[in-house]
Amino acid sequence: MNARTKVMYLNPVGTSAYDEVFADMARKFKCPDTEVHIASLNPNSVAPEMNNLEYRAYESLIVADTVKAARQAALSGFDAMAIGCFYDPALLDAREISGDTAIVGPCQASITAALNVANNFSIIIGRTKWEDQMKQTVHEYGYGQKLASFEAVGLRVEEFHRNPAETRKQLELAAERAVEESKAESIILGCTLEVGFYAELQKFLHGRFSANVPVIDCSIAALKAAEGAAWQKRIGWTNSRVWGMEPPPESELERFGVFRGDYEFGNLIKVPTDG
C-alpha cells in the first residue's frame, strides 16, 4: 500500500497573498508522508483583489470555483481537500461532487478537535459581523450546546498578521475573557489567518489559570482532519454516495457541459513529503 498522502489545502479566494502563510503552516505540521498542495482560486473567475470572505455576498462569489476545485482535486488523485475558511464555504456542495476525495472545513474540524479535549469551546473571531453566520453553522453541525461564547477582537482578515504584537494582545484579552466569564474549557481561533498564534496563546492561558486550556488553530485542525480522512480511505471509509450525498449523474454533467476541461488554479505551492 502506498503510504503517501496527498492533500490539497484550498485558499478559497482569487489572490495568492495568503498561500505562503498556509504553506509554512503545512511544512511545520503535516505528517512526514503527506504531500500538501496549497492552491488559490482562478483570478480570472474570482476577483483577485477580493482578499476575504467576511461577507455572505463575497462568499457567494466563490462557490462555483470551490466546487470546481473539489472536482479537480478528485480527478487529480487527491485523498482530501481542506477549504481554508472558517465559514466552511461550499463544504456540502463540494463534497457532493468530489468522488472519493474527502472534503473538510476548518470550523467542523476545529470543533471536533476541541471536543476531543474539552467539554465546550469559545470561538475568537475578528469582527462581531462574523458571529451570526458562524453561530448558524455551529448549530447546524449540532454543537450549539457546546458553544460557550464568541469573542471578537476588532480585526479584519488581512489585519491579523499586519501587527502581530497587537494581534497577540487582543487574542489574549479575548481568550482570558472567554475562560473567565463564559467558562470556556477550550479556545478555537475562528479564522484561518489567525494561524501561528495558538502556541503562545495557550502558554499565556496556562500562566493565567495555572492549568491547560487547549487553543485550537483552525488551519492546523483542517490540515490534520484532511490527513485523517485520507487515512480513513485506507480502511474503506470514503464518501457516502446515497440519499443526500448522491452525486449528479456523469451523463447529465456531460450533457449540461458543467465541467468543461480541467480547472485552472491561480497559484500552486507544493509542499513535498519529507526526505
Side-chain angles (χ1 to χ4, degrees), residues 66 71 106 117 139 150 164 167 196 219 246-247 262 272:
T66 302
R71 168 82 167 185
V117 292
H139 280 263
F150 280 97
T167 297
S219 290
E246 177 188 340
D262 292 344

Side-chain angles (χ1 to χ4, degrees), residues 91-110:
L91 178 63
L92 301 183
D93 312 78
R95 280 179 178 164
E96 186 179 83
I97 200 70
S98 67
D100 285 338
T101 299
I103 309 294
V104 304
C107 179
Q108 194 173 63
S110 296

Side-chain angles (χ1 to χ4, degrees), residues 186-209:
S186 66
I187 301 295
I188 294 175
L189 300 181
C191 177
T192 53
L193 264 295
E194 290 179 70
V195 63
F197 292 101
Y198 90 93
E200 290 182 340
L201 183 56
Q202 191 165 275
K203 182 178 180 180
F204 165 80
L205 290 174
H206 193 284
R208 173 64 181 81
F209 295 100

